[in-house]
Amino acid sequence: AKTYLNVVNQVLDSKQAARIEYKLSTRDKPMWFGTSISTLTEDTSLWVAHDITLRKRFELVQDAIFRITQAAITSEGMDVLYRSIHSILGELIPAENFYIALYDPDTDLINFPYYIDQYDDQPPEAMPLQGLTGYVIRTGHPLLATRQELERLVQLGEVEVVGTLGVDWLGAPLKMEGRTIGVMTVQSYQPEIHYQQDDMNLLEFVSTQVAQAIERKRYEEALRNLSLTDELTGLYNRRAFTILADQQMKLTHRMK
């Protein structure tokens, strides 16, 4: 408010119009406005505002995609990458409850390497294709499941209830070259937070970059493991021994 007052005073003093952009937080989602401020009388300003929400959301999505790409390159390990994805996505849609599930076609199981939830703990082991996560993997399509939609799918025998029931569940498949490698999901337990069709479109759009980032990091780690272990036995090779020994020596010196 103080910043806007300064702009108004500057316009009144200089008699020259100014343009600003500002965000208005609403109950559902933020809206952005581009505003022109000009003098109307000696001590009165005229504000003309235009809704620029679509443009700002597009800019934010493009920025998010760029940052996810950078995170795939710079992150030290998968855990850091997952946290970065969560943080970036949370700037676009409500993502207090968020998880990434990865699918192993060889075992037909899913695991949850990153799982943040208000009520449920991270599943400790791989699980069969059940619940809404399994449904998205089987169909290969994004899903916005309200409580009513979940009940409909349960009645049809398509899914079974897993974990604490939320208000809205939104999941998008993570795809690489036509194959589904996992699911990215947000969930709301609060009745005032609902997801809409444009949220599902956004999650699906971002999921493409997320899938590429995950595959890149997994490939890098696989190559690193191959360079440090014997392919036949899985034991550390001479290079790994040298690296680990050097790390331990440095730790020994630091700890004296």
Side-chain angles (χ1 to χ4, degrees):
K2 186 176 180 181
T3 301
Y4 299 150
L5 182 59
N6 291 338
V7 174
V8 170
N9 289 333
Q10 181 182 351
V11 169
L12 293 176
D13 292 339
S14 66
K15 301 299 187 292
Q16 294 183 352
R19 292 189 61 84
I20 62 172
E21 293 183 359
Y22 65 92
K23 182 173 71 171
L24 179 64
S25 296
T26 64
R27 186 171 183 176
D28 294 326
K29 57 190 62 177
M31 297 181 66
W32 283 267
F33 295 90
T35 303
S36 173
I37 305 174
S38 58
T39 56
L40 186 60
T41 65
E42 189 69 24
D43 57 356
T44 306
S45 62
L46 173 67
W47 293 49
V48 180
H50 302 277
D51 186 348
I52 57 171
T53 302
L54 290 178
R55 175 172 68 81
K56 292 297 290 186
R57 281 176 67 85
F58 176 78
E59 292 174 357
L60 289 173
V61 170
Q62 292 300 314
D63 179 66
I65 289 175
F66 173 77
R67 289 161 61 194
I68 290 171
T69 302
Q70 291 300 108
I73 298 172
T74 61
S75 296
E76 293 293 333
M78 296 298 296
D79 290 340
V80 177
L81 175 61
Y82 293 142
R83 288 196 296 271
S84 296
I85 293 171
H86 185 188
S87 176
I88 294 168
L89 186 66
E91 298 174 12
L92 302 176
I93 58 176
E96 183 177 0
N97 304 283
F98 172 82
Y99 67 80
I100 290 177
L102 298 180
Y103 173 60
D104 184 350
D106 294 331
T107 62
D108 202 29
L109 297 174
I110 50 178
N111 63 81
F112 301 83
Y114 188 84
Y115 195 97
I116 303 295
D117 192 273
Q118 290 176 268
Y119 298 103
D120 296 333
D121 295 329
Q122 182 175 5
E125 56 188 17
M127 301 172 58
L129 296 181
Q130 57 187 6
L132 294 170
T133 304
Y135 180 80
V136 171
I137 290 176
R138 292 196 304 272
T139 63
H141 298 295
L143 174 68
L144 172 54
T146 61
R147 185 70 65 85
Q148 294 76 15
E149 177 64 11
L150 173 59
E151 292 174 354
R152 186 185 73 84
L153 291 173
V154 170
Q155 291 176 356
L156 292 174
E158 294 286 353
V159 303
E160 56 185 277
V161 177
V162 178
T164 304
L165 284 177
V167 175
D168 282 353
W169 185 98
L170 178 58
L174 301 173
K175 292 187 175 183
M176 283 295 299
E177 300 176 351
R179 55 189 177 87
T180 300
I181 66 169
V183 178
M184 180 170 60
T185 298
V186 292
Q187 184 169 210
S188 168
Y189 292 107
Q190 300 170 264
E192 66 271 17
I193 297 179
H194 286 279
Y195 298 111
Q196 308 296 332
Q197 178 66 40
D198 59 343
D199 295 317
M200 184 168 74
N201 295 340
L202 184 150
L203 193 69
E204 183 180 19
F205 186 69
V206 174
S207 69
T208 301
Q209 198 61 41
V210 170
Q212 293 176 1
I214 291 174
E215 280 292 89
R216 177 192 179 106
K217 189 59 66 177
R218 290 167 77 180
Y219 182 67
E220 288 177 358
E221 292 197 348
L223 284 179
R224 183 174 184 275
N225 289 334
L226 284 175
S227 70
L228 297 178
T229 59
D230 177 74
E231 187 175 358
L232 180 62
T233 64
L235 300 175
Y236 283 130
N237 57 25
R238 180 185 181 90
R239 181 169 181 267
F241 170 78
T242 303
I243 292 174
L244 293 173
D246 182 60
Q247 291 174 348
Q248 291 301 312
M249 289 299 294
K250 290 178 180 177
L251 178 62
T252 299
H253 288 304
R254 285 201 305 270
M255 303 297 293
K256 304 208 184 290

